[in-house]
Amino acid sequence: MRFLLQRTAFYLFTAWAAITLNFLIPRLVPGDPVQSLISRNQGRISADAIASLRVLFGLDRDQNMWEQYVDYWRQILHGDLGLSFTFFPTPVSTVIGDSLPWTVGLVGVTTVVSFLLGTALGVGAGWRRGSWVDALLPATTFLSSIPYFWLGLVAIAVFTGPGSFFPSSGGYEPGLVPAFDQYFVPSAVRHSVLPAATILVSSMSGWILSMRNMMVTVSSEDYITVAHAKGLSERRVALGYAARNALLPNVSGFALSLGFIVGGTLLVEIVFSYPGLGYQLFQAVGYKDYPLMQGIFLIITVSVLVANLLADVAYLLLDPRTRKS
Amino acid sequence: MTISPSSLDQVIPGQGAMAPPSAAPTRAKRRRLRYLANAKATTGLVVLAGYGLLAVIGPWVAPYDPDARSGDVLQPPSGRHWFGTTHLGQDILSQILVGARSVMVVGLIAGVLATLLSILVGVTAGYLGGAADEGLSAVSNVFLVIPALPLIIIVTSVVEQASDLLVALIIGCTAWAWGARVLRAQTLSLRRRDYVEAARATGERTWRVIGFEILPNLTAIIASGFVGTVIFAVMSEITLAFIGISSVSSWNWGTILFWAQGQQALAQGAWWWFVPAGLAIALLGTALALVNFGIDEFVSPRLRTGGRSRIRTADGRTVRMRVGFTPVLAETAVPAPRDGATGEDGRP
């Protein structure tokens, strides 16, 4: 319990740091990109929206830093992230609310699946060190060195086209209304196959490698030799003794590298025009839509923190030592 | 306190520090060459050297000006344009050759900056301990958990048309956390070793203990962290260019992909537009990763993929070699052991 409380405190601290970063970045940079956005849209924005943007991006120069900071927090806690200019005049929170399920569905599921699959393959590769499996390691290195988005481009070029089963862009058939029915769900699944496969191929090899290396390290421990000497079956030693202990560093590695992985997988959405956060971020960059960019950064950070907390719970279940004391 | 093997061989005559001085140079040389004996590391270094050469001479050997337009619009690879042309008739080979410099320079600057920061934070935290350690570790953990790429994107996007140098600085300032964490852990285990205690006891200053006793033992970890950061920096730079945040007027491989994506190269079947740039990135990433594997295996020999793991013995049986086992082979074709003293398959 103490472990979880500590971790939660740390994540709260991180969330605070991220929000403060978000507060500071537009204030440290010279020039007022948002001011020019507002003046370009003069007359189309309501006074309320202008006031909220002024708080978010620090356009009120007469206030001191501390007052700005307090105002900023008040507004963030009310869920007001400003107006999106890409989807004018929709609030940023609505845009994010619409695209979040897509990203959680695609990136969340593929990240977990790639971790599980990669770890399982790594157990095999590490246990049979020196067999033909080792020859595959350079290939996985090559695959993991390819940028996610480029693999996506190749996948589109090879697998899509007129008459192909795989659509090349979008999250569902245009014309369908998002709902859980027999038309929408199969279409959404069909659109997610290629992006998911792309993410799987390029993210899995990292897990294979780290798990293999942990297995190799663990399998020379004394307790493995003892387990063999007891006459336990090969399978039991591999899974119950070696893999179980090798898994722990991999799980904590998973939690720590989530931030990196999520950043990479967002790019896959861009290539496939998948209606998730990554694609919105891309569009926001194109339109210089700072409120949307900052909002997306905040949401991604918070999601990664929540995922980290879940990984910590998993760690707690796997490692009895953390439950003691 | 345990006696580590390295302190043991210093007192055994004929080995370690007590060895006759003439043997020392050859030993050192062999140790330096041992890293190169690793096939992975050598391959990686050779490929890297090739990229380094391209970065230097690329703009000079490029057959065309990468910006120059010509009448050959969207041509597939041919003798005149080895990698084909773009929608404006620009030569793609020239764009890749010219872009290599930007990619390598950004990777190098960001890598050096991030490595320096990670040494500063990690080693200080590990060596000093206490409140300084708590604070510095918290900062590096925060940077680890915050998604790096979105952070780099929002920082870079606020600056209009960021230059290569600025992109490198931004990446370097956000990518040091992992290295700092690893260095801290290693420093923690080093700082209680005998030779460090001895240095401290003789009254060496803190910076000297860190610089001359601790840092040399962290070389491999620092090197591997550096290589890892370079990979990350190169990928981030290319990504930024690909989504059009950094300056699109200077060439790097991401810029090529940016134009290819923007001009619907895929829909027009112009595979030559994006395949060479992607392969160049992947090959560079693989070379860097191989160098890192070499370092890892150099540091921890267990990770080396052993030679053959199955050995056929004289009597035709096969024995699988494994870590932690010492196969003992029976001398002849195993007559029924009379006194039952020898083990069958040699398990200890």
Side-chain angles (χ1 to χ4, degrees):
Chain A
M1 209 48 227
R2 192 155 160 254
F3 171 76
L4 264 193
L5 282 179
Q6 265 176 355
R7 299 306 295 168
T8 315
F10 167 69
Y11 293 132
L12 285 178
F13 175 70
T14 311
W16 168 80
I19 293 175
T20 306
L21 263 182
N22 231 357
F23 168 80
L24 286 177
I25 289 168
R27 284 166 177 80
L28 291 180
V29 178
D32 276 325
V34 179
Q35 184 71 61
S36 66
L37 271 179
I38 293 178
S39 31
R40 219 181 307 149
N41 289 291
Q42 199 79 51
R44 297 203 290 149
I45 317 179
S46 68
D48 275 359
I50 294 186
S52 106
L53 285 174
R54 295 181 82 86
V55 172
L56 285 175
F57 291 92
L59 302 179
D60 290 325
R61 293 290 178 208
D62 46 328
Q63 274 187 316
N64 68 26
M65 217 49 166
W66 176 249
E67 286 166 354
Q68 289 187 26
Y69 190 56
V70 173
D71 278 352
Y72 182 82
W73 265 100
R74 192 176 300 140
Q75 200 166 324
I76 293 280
L77 290 179
H78 281 99
D80 182 356
L81 297 170
L83 272 190
S84 160
F85 289 92
T86 322
F87 305 93
F88 194 79
T90 323
V92 167
S93 43
T94 315
V95 176
I96 292 178
D98 288 345
S99 41
L100 191 60
W102 293 98
T103 298
V104 171
L106 179 72
V107 175
V109 170
T110 46
T111 306
V112 171
V113 169
S114 103
F115 174 73
L116 295 178
L117 256 177
T119 305
L121 289 175
V123 168
W127 192 244
R128 305 220 156 261
R129 186 175 79 124
S131 68
W132 57 272
V133 185
D134 276 350
L136 294 183
L137 290 177
T140 59
T141 313
F142 184 72
L143 279 180
S144 66
S145 308
I146 299 175
Y148 289 62
F149 61 87
W150 187 75
L151 205 64
L153 286 172
V154 172
I156 292 179
V158 174
F159 293 111
T160 68
S164 163
F165 171 76
F166 299 111
S168 66
S169 68
Y172 51 93
E173 212 67 49
L176 287 179
V177 184
F180 281 99
D181 56 21
Q182 75 272 34
Y183 304 109
F184 180 73
V185 172
S187 169
V189 168
R190 198 155 64 93
H191 279 76
S192 65
V193 171
L194 267 191
T198 308
I199 298 176
L200 273 186
V201 166
S202 40
S203 64
M204 214 166 65
S205 45
W207 302 124
I208 300 183
L209 202 77
S210 67
M211 192 61 190
R212 171 197 176 263
N213 286 355
M214 277 321 296
M215 277 298 277
V216 168
T217 312
V218 165
S219 58
S220 58
E221 296 283 347
D222 288 345
Y223 55 79
I224 301 295
T225 313
V226 172
H228 275 299
K230 283 197 287 189
L232 297 177
S233 72
E234 180 96 348
R235 192 187 145 82
R236 178 113 185 257
V237 179
L239 298 181
Y241 287 73
R244 211 177 150 184
N245 286 293
L247 193 61
L248 288 175
N250 228 29
V251 170
S252 50
F254 176 71
L256 282 175
S257 46
L258 260 178
F260 284 101
I261 299 166
V262 168
T265 44
L266 290 177
L267 296 172
V268 174
E269 293 184 354
I270 299 176
V271 173
F272 286 94
S273 309
Y274 200 78
L277 287 177
Y279 186 56
Q280 306 295 24
L281 184 61
F282 176 59
Q283 289 187 309
V285 167
Y287 283 92
K288 301 216 169 298
D289 184 350
Y290 297 99
L292 185 53
M293 275 190 249
Q294 296 225 323
I296 290 178
F297 169 69
L298 272 192
I299 293 301
I300 293 175
T301 308
V302 171
S303 321
V304 167
L305 293 183
V306 171
N308 261 292
L309 195 59
L310 292 180
D312 280 340
V313 173
Y315 194 87
L316 200 64
L317 295 177
L318 285 170
D319 189 352
R321 280 171 301 183
T322 51
R323 268 172 283 163
K324 269 194 207 153
S325 84
Chain B
M1 215 174 281
T2 55
I3 301 170
S4 67
S6 58
S7 59
L8 245 184
D9 69 15
Q10 277 173 7
V11 291
I12 298 175
Q15 284 176 9
M18 303 288 278
S22 63
T26 51
R27 267 169 57 93
K29 198 172 172 189
R30 200 176 307 144
R31 193 166 299 157
R32 221 171 292 139
L33 287 177
R34 204 165 60 196
Y35 177 73
L36 288 181
N38 184 320
K40 287 178 188 163
T42 320
T43 320
L45 284 177
V46 168
V47 176
L48 264 191
Y51 274 99
L53 188 69
L54 270 192
V56 176
I57 64 165
W60 298 327
V61 297
Y64 299 89
D65 177 356
D67 293 310
R69 305 178 180 192
S70 72
D72 302 335
V73 174
L74 216 55
Q75 293 294 311
S78 63
R80 273 180 68 193
H81 300 284
W82 287 2
F83 289 173
T85 58
T86 68
H87 66 300
L88 296 174
Q90 296 155 332
D91 184 52
I92 292 175
L93 174 64
S94 306
Q95 293 180 349
I96 288 188
L97 287 174
V98 172
R101 182 177 290 180
S102 154
V103 171
M104 298 298 283
V105 165
V106 169
L108 201 66
I109 295 179
V112 168
L113 179 64
T115 308
L116 287 179
L117 281 173
S118 67
I119 294 174
L120 198 67
V121 174
V123 177
T124 318
Y127 187 76
L128 294 181
D133 181 20
E134 294 280 330
L136 290 173
S137 300
V139 172
S140 53
N141 281 335
V142 165
F143 268 93
L144 260 184
V145 174
I146 292 181
L149 194 61
L151 179 63
I152 294 175
I153 289 178
I154 63 164
V155 175
T156 319
S157 67
V158 186
V159 192
E160 302 268 328
Q161 297 291 306
S163 65
D164 275 357
L165 183 66
L166 189 72
V167 169
L169 292 182
I170 293 173
I171 296 174
C173 287
T174 45
W176 51 270
W178 184 263
R181 191 187 160 89
V182 178
L183 283 174
R184 172 184 170 269
Q186 190 64 20
T187 310
L188 270 182
S189 83
L190 284 180
R191 74 187 192 125
R192 289 287 156 220
R193 299 272 170 93
D194 288 351
Y195 60 89
V196 179
E197 298 275 15
R200 220 173 321 171
T202 50
E204 298 281 17
R205 286 193 206 104
T206 308
W207 66 266
R208 204 187 145 84
V209 178
I210 292 182
F212 289 87
E213 307 292 342
I214 295 201
L215 274 188
N217 290 298
L218 294 172
T219 317
I221 296 179
I222 294 173
S224 112
F226 173 73
V227 174
T229 319
V230 172
I231 298 180
F232 176 74
V234 166
M235 293 295 167
S236 304
E237 187 212 1
I238 288 167
T239 307
L240 288 181
F242 172 67
I243 60 180
I245 286 186
S246 51
S247 169
V248 286
S249 52
S250 74
W251 287 106
N252 73 49
W253 301 330
T255 325
I256 300 175
L257 295 173
F258 169 78
W259 288 112
Q261 165 90 343
Q263 297 300 321
Q264 306 288 325
L266 291 168
Q268 302 182 39
W271 54 269
W272 58 87
W273 201 342
F274 62 88
V275 167
L279 287 183
I281 299 166
L283 193 60
L284 175 61
T286 312
L288 287 165
L290 285 177
V291 172
N292 239 353
F293 289 164
I295 298 174
D296 281 353
E297 292 181 2
F298 181 66
V299 176
S300 126
R302 281 175 183 174
L303 297 179
R304 289 176 202 159
T305 45
R308 287 186 308 162
S309 64
R310 276 172 193 284
I311 290 176
R312 187 171 277 272
T313 57
D315 56 344
R317 283 182 307 167
T318 54
V319 177
R320 202 157 88 82
M321 307 288 272
R322 261 192 318 204
V323 181
F325 290 85
T326 315
V328 178
L329 301 177
E331 298 247 320
T332 48
V334 203
R338 229 169 291 160
D339 44 29
T342 44
E344 255 284 84
D345 59 358
R347 292 199 168 180

